[in-house]
């Protein structure tokens, strides 16, 4: 699954030694969309061999006082959780992206800020994605659920299935039928920007400037106490909280963020699910990524009609590389059942993520579709022309 030559050309023009390693989230709200729909999209770029499953969890009631086991820590459970469909790394409780039965979609991105990343185990950003979907009936409801949990429990912990330390803070794109919110965090602090029309994308960097629509009550006082803001000039969230010496992956992601913005702007006023899929499949920009140890391991596109009488439709690949994957639809209904072919095997207490010390061994988390996709890719590489004489392109 090597990168297309166009991707190499893009990197050379941008003066980059390698493709930027990051996820990308996109949203189009009318009039950015061709129809009266909100369109959400995300590519999840993760370690190359990590398996991403698509799992459906029905709405559920929980006894008062019950506890919830997230990836690393337990937190109090709420009495009612919403039905969700999630695209998630198979080893963790949380999700990279997903939707609930109220037409809410959430995706997250890694980010580093002036606030130190905690070395202790807390809630992963991916846990917060799932918690926001299970507890929020709107984009704002999911945002308030995430920020409340962030303040109570913090964020932190190993973010990949490997003993080598790798942790980060998170930004989120939260979308419903009416609006979108960009939520950017720095430790337990946060700022948010409301988006009501047009197109917007996020990547592995802070993007909120002076247009802060909501914020942590101590956001500005902490920034002033740390000497990051003088308390008098304009408060620009990204300028105040972006690190002075950002990790290389954040610098590389700037080009990718710019490429995503340009693609959205090219289609502003005509965005459809097909357009969003084409953006996620775009290799020259690096959005469809295949670089070193990372690649796009799962992708999602959702169509959220403004007309609440129409169902939301969510498309998932459940396989790596959207340019070589089919986006398969999911619609919430009273008869939604798990599709076991895209659900990974479970290992219970023997799972390396549950043992201490964690991640000392590997298990085979491939689900049936992932295995079939791998086989099809090998067939395409050894026999790129089908029996009809046409090139094989999608699997």
């Amino acid at each position: 699954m090597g990168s297309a030559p166009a991707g190499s050309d893009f990197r050379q023009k941008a003066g980059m030694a390698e493709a930027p390693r990051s996820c990308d989230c996109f949203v189009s709200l009318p009039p950015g969309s061709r129809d009266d729909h909100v369109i959400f999209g995300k590519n999840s770029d993760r370690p190359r061999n990590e398996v991403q499953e698509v799992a459906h969890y029905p709405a559920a009631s929980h006894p008062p006082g019950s506890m919830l086991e997230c990836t690393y820590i337990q937190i109090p459970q709420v009495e009612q959780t919403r039905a969700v469909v999630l695209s998630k790394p198979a080893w963790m409780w949380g999700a990279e992206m997903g939707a609930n039965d109220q037409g809410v979609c959430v995706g997250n991105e890694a980010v580093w800020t002036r606030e130190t990343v905690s070395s202790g185990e807390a809630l992963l950003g991916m846990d917060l994605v799932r918690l926001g979907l299970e507890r929020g009936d709107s984009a704002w409801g999911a945002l308030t659920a995430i920020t409340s949990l962030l303040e109570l429990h913090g964020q932190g912990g190993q973010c990949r299935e490997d003993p080598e330390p790798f942790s980060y803070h998170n930004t989120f794109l939260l979308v419903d039928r009416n609006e979108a919110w960009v939520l950017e965090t720095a430790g337990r602090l946060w700022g948010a920007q409301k988006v009501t029309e047009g197109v917007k994308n996020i990547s592995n960097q802070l993007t909120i400037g002076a247009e802060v629509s909501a914020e942590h009550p101590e956001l500005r006082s902490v920034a002033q106490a740390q000497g990051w803001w003088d308390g008098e000039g304009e408060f620009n969230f990204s300028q105040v909280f972006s690190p002075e010496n950002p990790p290389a992956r954040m610098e590389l992601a700037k080009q990718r963020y710019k490429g995503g913005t340009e693609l959205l702007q090219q289609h502003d006023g005509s965005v459809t699910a097909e357009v969003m899929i084409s953006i996620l499949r775009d290799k020259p920009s690096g959005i469809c990524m295949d670089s070193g140890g990372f690649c796009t391991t799962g992708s999602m596109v959702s169509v959220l009609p403004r007309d609440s009488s129409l169902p939301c439709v969510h498309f998932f690949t459940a396989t790596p590389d959207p340019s070589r994957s089919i986006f398969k639809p999911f619609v919430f209904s009273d008869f939604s059942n798990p599709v076991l072919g895209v659900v990974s095997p479970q290992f219970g207490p023997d799972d390396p993520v549950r043992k201490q010390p964690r991640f000392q061994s590997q298990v085979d988390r491939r689900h049936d579709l992932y295995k079939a996709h791998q086989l099809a890719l090998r067939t395409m590489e050894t026999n790129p022309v089908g029996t009809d004489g046409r090139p094989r392109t999608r699997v």
Side-chain angles (χ1 to χ4, degrees):
M1 296 189 296
S3 297
S8 299
D9 294 342
F10 175 85
R11 293 193 292 276
Q12 290 170 4
K13 290 176 183 178
M16 299 186 311
E18 58 178 318
R21 299 177 179 181
S22 65
C23 299
D24 296 276
C25 284
F26 304 87
V27 66
S28 174
L29 302 98
S33 306
R34 186 193 68 185
D35 304 311
D36 197 26
H37 300 158
V38 176
I39 312 291
F40 170 85
K42 181 184 174 181
N43 270 358
S44 171
D45 299 337
R46 301 281 304 170
R48 173 175 302 280
N49 294 323
E50 184 179 83
V51 176
Q52 199 149 146
E53 62 180 347
V54 174
H56 167 258
Y57 300 91
S61 298
H62 308 279
S66 59
M67 298 297 291
L68 172 65
E69 186 78 35
C70 299
T71 302
Y72 297 127
I73 67 170
Q74 286 190 343
I75 65 171
Q77 179 61 285
V78 294
E79 293 189 15
Q80 186 69 39
T81 51
R82 302 200 174 279
V84 297
V85 59
L86 308 171
S87 187
K88 57 188 291 292
W91 63 270
M92 68 174 62
W93 181 84
E96 280 280 297
M97 51 202 170
N100 71 16
D101 57 4
Q102 301 300 299
V104 180
C105 299
V106 182
N108 78 309
E109 313 280 336
V111 72
W112 290 264
T113 71
R114 280 179 157 173
E115 286 286 319
T116 303
V117 176
S118 171
S119 59
E121 293 186 343
L123 291 173
L124 292 177
M126 289 67 75
D127 292 342
L128 291 166
V129 168
R130 179 171 176 176
L131 288 163
L133 289 169
E134 289 187 343
R135 301 182 180 196
D137 59 1
S138 65
W140 174 251
L143 185 150
T144 56
I146 288 172
T147 54
S148 296
L149 291 163
L150 184 64
E151 185 159 357
L152 284 171
H153 305 288
Q155 58 181 321
Q158 180 69 342
C159 293
R160 63 183 173 191
E161 193 180 8
D162 190 286
E164 182 181 350
F166 181 61
S167 300
Y168 45 76
H169 294 157
N170 293 267
T171 65
F172 303 86
L173 183 61
L174 308 99
V175 178
D176 61 27
R177 293 177 186 261
N178 300 303
E179 63 189 26
W181 284 85
V182 176
L183 170 63
E184 298 183 344
T185 70
R188 295 175 189 253
L189 302 174
W190 58 273
Q193 179 184 5
K194 185 177 182 180
V195 182
T196 58
E197 62 180 16
V199 295
K200 175 69 177 177
N201 62 307
I202 65 171
S203 193
N204 294 71
Q205 56 195 292
L206 301 180
T207 63
I208 299 174
E211 312 85 10
V212 182
S213 308
E215 63 190 68
H216 188 284
E218 298 176 4
L219 181 71
R220 301 187 190 215
S221 60
V222 169
Q224 191 171 358
Q226 294 286 351
W228 302 334
W229 178 54
D230 62 11
E232 297 179 2
E234 177 184 76
F235 184 83
N236 183 302
F237 181 84
S238 62
Q239 289 182 6
V240 171
F241 281 94
S242 292
E244 294 180 351
N245 298 300
R249 58 176 55 89
M250 281 186 71
E251 288 298 295
L252 293 170
K254 288 181 180 179
Q255 293 294 334
R256 200 161 155 174
Y257 172 71
K258 180 181 177 182
T261 300
E262 290 174 351
L263 286 168
L264 278 178
Q265 290 175 347
Q266 287 173 19
H267 297 283
D268 194 0
S270 61
V271 177
T272 60
E274 292 82 1
V275 167
M276 190 65 78
I277 288 172
S278 73
I279 291 174
L280 298 186
R281 285 174 169 165
D282 190 79
K283 287 184 177 291
S285 64
I287 289 168
C288 180
M289 195 191 66
D290 189 349
S291 173
F294 281 68
C295 73
T296 300
T297 57
S299 304
M300 171 184 175
V301 168
S302 293
V303 180
L304 316 176
R306 286 279 176 88
D307 183 348
S308 61
S309 68
L310 298 175
C312 299
V313 184
H314 312 284
F315 299 87
F316 297 91
T317 59
T319 51
D321 190 348
S323 73
R324 290 185 167 184
S325 295
I326 294 172
F327 285 75
K328 297 157 282 288
F330 178 93
V331 177
F332 285 96
S333 75
D334 294 336
F335 307 101
S336 296
N337 292 310
V339 180
L340 298 181
V342 293
V343 176
S344 295
Q346 301 297 307
F347 299 92
D350 294 327
D351 196 311
V353 72
R354 297 184 181 275
K355 293 181 176 180
Q356 295 288 353
R358 303 188 196 275
F359 307 121
Q360 300 302 300
S361 61
Q362 295 282 334
V363 292
D364 186 357
R365 302 188 189 275
R366 295 176 301 163
H367 50 70
D368 290 344
L369 180 62
Y370 190 97
K371 293 177 182 178
H373 187 265
Q374 285 186 311
L375 177 61
L377 286 177
R378 286 195 294 270
T379 301
M380 290 171 62
E381 290 167 357
T382 56
N383 185 15
V385 178
T387 55
D388 59 358
R390 296 180 179 180
R392 305 178 192 268
T393 57
R394 301 278 186 264
V395 292

